[in-house]
Structures are given as structure tokens and as C-alpha cells.
């Protein structure tokens, strides 16, 4: 209930936009950088160790990740086959089924692309 101490969704959105604008302005003016903000927040240097697998688990972790990628690949192929089947069946007097099949294809390709690029995406943050 807005007005009783609870902000409305519009007020929350406006606060988020203003906070973002202030951060962008501070960064553009050179007052804020990733390194400087960490030093200011932590009061000094923040340790940043490189990621390392626990002893003896690196091979097992790679095996599990490989199995996950393989499973997603199988699901992606199945998703494309099912989407194509829906389009083929819906071609004759079932236009909504064909449309559903066609709209599923970008989602399947998007999911496969995300899995293919997952290691590179994570590497950006490490």
C-alpha cells in the first residue's frame, strides 16, 4: 500500500534510475573506479587470490562439467527436433502449433549459445 511507508513500484524504479545515474556520473568524472571503490569500502587493499580447485578435485570437476555440457547438447538437439516437428505438423490447419514450434527455436539456440559461451563468460569475471 503506497503512502504507508511502502514505496510504490514507480518510486522504487525512480530510486534505482537515480542511483544508477549518480554512479555513472561519478565514474565518468573519475571519482569512482572499480579499484578505488574497493579501496574506499575496505579501507585498504582487498586480497584477490586466483581461483584454485581443491586438491584432487580438478579432474572430477572437469568430468562433471563435461557431462553437463553433453546433457545440454542432447537437450538442445532434442529441442530443435521437437520444434521442427511442431512446425511440420502444424503446417496443415494447426497454425498455433507451427507458431509455437517457430517461437521455441530462438530459445533453444539461445540456451545452446549460453552453454557454449559459459566458460568464456565466467572467465571475464575471474
Amino acid at each position: 500500500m503506497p503512502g504507508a511507508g511502502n514505496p510504490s513500484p514507480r518510486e522504487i524504479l525512480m530510486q534505482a534510475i537515480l542511483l544508477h545515474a549518480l554512479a555513472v556520473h561519478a565514474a565518468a568524472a573519475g571519482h569512482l573506479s572499480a579499484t578505488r571503490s574497493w579501496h574506499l569500502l575496505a579501507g585498504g587493499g582487498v586480497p584477490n587470490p586466483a581461483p584454485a580447485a581443491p586438491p584432487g578435485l580438478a579432474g572430477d570437476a572437469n568430468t562433471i562439467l563435461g557431462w553437463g555440457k553433453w546433457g545440454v547438447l542432447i537437450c538442445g538437439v532434442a529441442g530443435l527436433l521437437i520444434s521442427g516437428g511442431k512446425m511440420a505438423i502444424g503446417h496443415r490447419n494447426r497454425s498455433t502449433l507451427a507458431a509455437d514450434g517457430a517461437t521455441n527455436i530462438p530459445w533453444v539456440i539461445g540456451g545452446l549459445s549460453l552453454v557454449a559461451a559459459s566458460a568464456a563468460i565466467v572467465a571475464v569475471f575471474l
Side-chain angles (χ1 to χ4, degrees):
M1 168 192 235
N6 299 327
S8 69
R10 180 184 167 116
E11 291 171 330
I12 293 171
L13 178 64
M14 291 303 297
Q15 290 172 356
I17 290 171
L18 287 172
L19 183 61
H20 183 273
L22 284 171
V24 169
H25 177 71
H31 300 297
L32 182 64
S33 68
T35 306
R36 185 172 178 184
S37 63
W38 277 113
H39 286 289
L40 291 175
L41 291 175
V46 176
N48 188 13
L57 290 181
D60 295 337
N62 286 338
T63 301
I64 291 171
L65 288 173
W67 288 348
K69 283 184 174 182
W70 179 81
V72 171
L73 178 64
I74 297 301
C75 291
V77 170
L80 288 174
L81 289 173
I82 291 169
S83 296
K86 282 182 170 182
M87 291 171 62
I89 292 170
H91 177 65
R92 302 284 294 184
N93 298 329
R94 293 188 182 109
S95 61
T96 56
L97 185 64
D100 286 343
T103 56
N104 288 341
I105 291 174
W107 289 103
V108 173
I109 292 173
L112 288 171
S113 300
L114 182 62
V115 169
S118 61
I121 292 170
V122 171
V124 168
F125 296 104
L126 293 180

